[in-house]
Amino acid sequence: MMELTRHGDYLHVSRRSLLKFADFRRVVTAQFVSQTADALMLVVLARTLLFADPNGPTPVLLAQAAMTGAAPLVLAGPIGGFVADRWPRRQILVSGQALRACLGLCAALAVAFDSKHAVFVVFVCALCATRILFTARIASVRHLVRQHELVAADSLMLIIGVVAGALGAALFGATLVCGPVGQLVLVSIGHFAAAYGFDRTRAWLGGEGETTAIRWRAVVGQFTCGKTRYALASTSAHRLLGGVVVAAVALDVDGRTNGSASGYALTLATAGVAAFAGSVTSEWVNERIPRRPLTVGCFAGGCCAVSLLPLVPGPAPRLATVGILVFLFQNLRVASDATIQANAAPGSCGRVFAAYDIAFNLAYVAGLVGGLAIASNASVEVALGAVGPLYFLGAVVFALLERERSRRVQVQFLSDPAPRNDVLSHDSPSDEREQVEDGRNNDECAGGSALPREVA
C-alpha cells in the first residue's frame, strides 16, 4: 500500500538556516554573481547580435529555444560530468570562472571589431563552459550539506538562479547606455568576482581525491538501481510531455490573440513564474510527501490539468495549465536532483548527475520539437489531446514501477577511496555537524547507509 504522507517526526530544514554556514554561503553567493553575469552576457549576445527579435514568429522562437538548449547539452554535458569527477571541483569552479571572464573580454573584442563569426564561437564556448560549471557545482552540493538538507539546498540554488537571471536581464536594460562592449566588460568583472568567491570556499567539494578511479561500467550500472532509475525516468517523462504542452500552448495563444500578443513570451513568462513557485514549495512538499506519491501525483495532476482544457475556452486557461505543469515538474525535479546526488557512488556524482541532467533536458527539447511539429501539421487540439492520456499512463507506470530495491549495484573501485582530511567547516562551533563521507551518504546503490531522514 502506497503511503501518501510521511509519518512521524520529520526534520524541518530552513533554506535560510543553510546560509548561516560560511562555506555554503560563499558558494551560493559566488553562484549568484556568476549567474547574473551569465544572464547579462547571454542577453547581450543572443538578443542583440545573433538571433531573431524576441517578438518574432513563435515557431521560429520555439525552434531557436530548442537549438540553443540542445547544443550545450550535447557538446559539453558529457565533458562536464567527466571533468567534475576527474579534477578537484573547487579548482574547476575557480578556473572555470576565470575562463568565463576571459570569454567575456573576447566577446567584447569581437563586438568591437564587428566579427560575427568570432562572436558566435564565443557564444557557443560560453554556453558549454556554463554547462560544465553547473555540473561541477551541483555535484559539490552533497559535500556542503547533509543528506536530509539536499532538497533545501537544491531548491535554494534554483531560486537564486531565477533571481540572478532576472537581475541580469535588468542590468541589460540599465546598462544599455554603455553599449554591448561595456556590458561585456561588466560581465568579465562579475565572473572574476565569482572566481574569488569560489576560491574563498574552504570545504572539500569532491572530485579528485574521492577515489583513485572508478570504472565507467560502474557509473552506467548505477542507473539500474531502483531509486536512480526511477528519478531519471520520471523526471524525463514529465519534462517531455511538458515540452509538448508548452509548444502547443504557445502556438495556440498566438492564434487566439490574433497576433496582438506573443504566445511564446506569455508562455515563457508563465513557465518562469511557475518554476520559481515550484522551487519555493519543493522543500515543504518533500518533508510531507514520500517520493513515489509525489511522482504519481505530479503525473495525475498533469493529466487532470490537460484533460480539462476542452471545457474551458480562451488563452488564460491554457497558460494556467502550463503554469500548473511547470509547477508540478519543478517540485518533482528538485526531489529527483537530491535523489541523484544522494545515491551516486563516490567518484561518480559528476557523471551520474550529468547523464540525468542531459536526459531530462533533451527530453524537454524533444517535447518542444514534437509539440511544434504536431500542432503545425495537425492541430493544437491533437497535440494537447495526446498528452492527457500519456500523463495518466505515466501515473500508472510510476505507481507500479519498482523503486526501493531492484538489483544491488556493486561499485568496484580500482583502489580504496582516497582519505579525506577536510571536514565540513561551516564556522559554527555550536552546530555538531556530521562529517558526511559520500560512501556513508548513499543507500543501496552505493552500498552505504542513510542519514536520519532520507531525501531519496
Side-chain angles (χ1 to χ4, degrees):
M1 185 73 178
M2 183 171 59
E3 295 183 354
L4 300 181
T5 59
R6 297 188 188 275
H7 296 293
D9 295 333
Y10 55 81
L11 296 175
H12 175 67
V13 180
S14 166
R15 284 180 285 257
R16 182 179 298 179
S17 67
L18 293 180
L19 293 174
K20 296 178 182 177
F21 307 124
D23 281 324
F24 183 76
R25 186 171 63 248
R26 287 167 185 152
V27 168
V28 166
T29 303
Q31 172 200 335
F32 176 75
V33 175
S34 171
Q35 289 182 320
T36 301
D38 264 338
L40 176 58
M41 182 177 187
L42 294 180
V43 169
V44 171
L45 296 183
R47 295 181 63 182
T48 307
L49 302 172
L50 294 176
F51 296 118
D53 186 90
N55 294 317
T58 291
V60 173
L61 294 172
L62 285 170
Q64 175 184 305
M67 179 183 68
T68 55
L73 285 171
V74 174
L75 295 175
I79 297 174
F82 173 76
V83 169
D85 289 338
R86 179 63 179 80
W87 286 280
R89 291 180 192 137
R90 186 170 73 93
Q91 188 59 49
I92 294 170
L93 293 171
V94 173
S95 302
Q97 290 301 146
L99 174 62
R100 293 286 280 116
C102 293
L103 286 174
L105 294 176
C106 291
L109 289 174
V111 171
F113 287 101
D114 196 25
S115 174
K116 296 286 185 179
H117 296 294
V119 169
F120 180 78
V121 170
V122 172
F123 181 77
V124 172
C125 290
L127 289 176
C128 292
T130 299
R131 176 56 49 182
I132 293 172
L133 292 177
F134 167 78
T135 302
R137 188 175 65 245
I138 205 70
S140 302
V141 175
R142 70 179 188 171
H143 297 278
L144 290 167
V145 300
R146 293 170 292 187
Q147 180 169 319
H148 64 278
E149 297 168 333
L150 279 171
V151 171
D154 289 338
S155 66
L156 176 61
M157 288 180 143
L158 287 173
I159 291 169
I160 285 173
V162 173
V163 175
L167 179 59
L171 283 176
F172 173 78
T175 56
L176 281 174
V177 66
C178 302
V181 174
Q183 290 173 319
L184 292 170
V185 171
L186 181 61
V187 166
S188 297
I189 295 172
H191 283 303
F192 275 124
Y196 174 73
F198 285 120
D199 191 51
R200 291 184 65 236
T201 305
R202 295 295 171 258
W204 183 72
L205 301 181
E208 183 185 41
E210 276 188 82
T211 182
T212 303
I214 183 171
R215 297 185 179 92
W216 279 94
R217 185 175 63 180
V219 174
V220 175
Q222 290 179 69
F223 288 100
T224 65
C225 169
K227 291 185 177 182
T228 303
R229 180 189 60 215
Y230 194 93
L232 184 146
S234 60
T235 309
S236 299
H238 203 286
R239 194 61 165 158
L240 171 68
L241 298 178
V244 175
V245 175
V246 166
V249 168
L251 294 175
D252 185 59
V253 171
D254 262 359
R256 289 174 180 269
T257 56
N258 296 318
S260 61
S262 169
Y264 177 79
L266 289 174
T267 306
L268 192 65
T270 302
V273 172
F276 182 82
S279 297
V280 170
T281 61
S282 58
E283 171 58 24
W284 184 92
V285 169
N286 180 75
E287 287 178 344
R288 292 160 176 81
I289 304 177
R291 195 59 43 82
R292 186 188 296 275
L294 172 61
T295 303
V296 174
C298 287
F299 278 90
C303 174
C304 293
V306 175
S307 300
L308 290 175
L309 280 180
L311 305 178
V312 254
R318 281 164 164 68
L319 291 172
T321 299
V322 169
I324 292 170
L325 295 179
V326 173
F327 174 80
L328 293 172
F329 169 79
Q330 197 70 2
N331 280 277
L332 176 63
R333 180 258 176 98
V334 174
S336 297
D337 284 1
T339 296
I340 298 296
Q341 291 164 324
N343 291 298
S348 68
C349 187
R351 283 170 285 180
V352 172
F353 195 93
Y356 155 80
D357 183 59
I358 292 169
F360 83 74
N361 277 297
L362 284 183
Y364 180 65
V365 171
L368 285 179
V369 173
L372 180 61
I374 296 172
S376 299
N377 296 318
S379 69
V380 171
E381 287 69 24
V382 171
L384 295 177
V387 169
L390 291 176
Y391 269 119
F392 177 77
L393 178 62
V396 173
V397 168
F398 291 108
L400 300 176
L401 183 65
E402 181 63 41
R403 179 179 181 271
E404 295 304 325
R405 295 184 182 276
S406 53
R407 178 173 64 84
R408 185 182 180 87
V409 178
Q410 298 293 338
V411 179
Q412 299 293 336
F413 297 101
L414 298 182
S415 65
D416 292 334
R420 172 182 166 192
N421 297 320
D422 297 335
V423 297
L424 288 173
S425 171
H426 293 296
D427 297 350
S428 179
S430 62
D431 182 22
E432 295 293 332
R433 300 177 63 84
E434 303 148 33
Q435 181 177 349
V436 182
E437 297 288 352
D438 291 308
R440 301 175 194 163
N441 200 23
N442 306 323
D443 68 353
E444 71 272 7
C445 299
S449 60
L451 287 175
R453 176 171 68 83
E454 290 189 3
V455 298

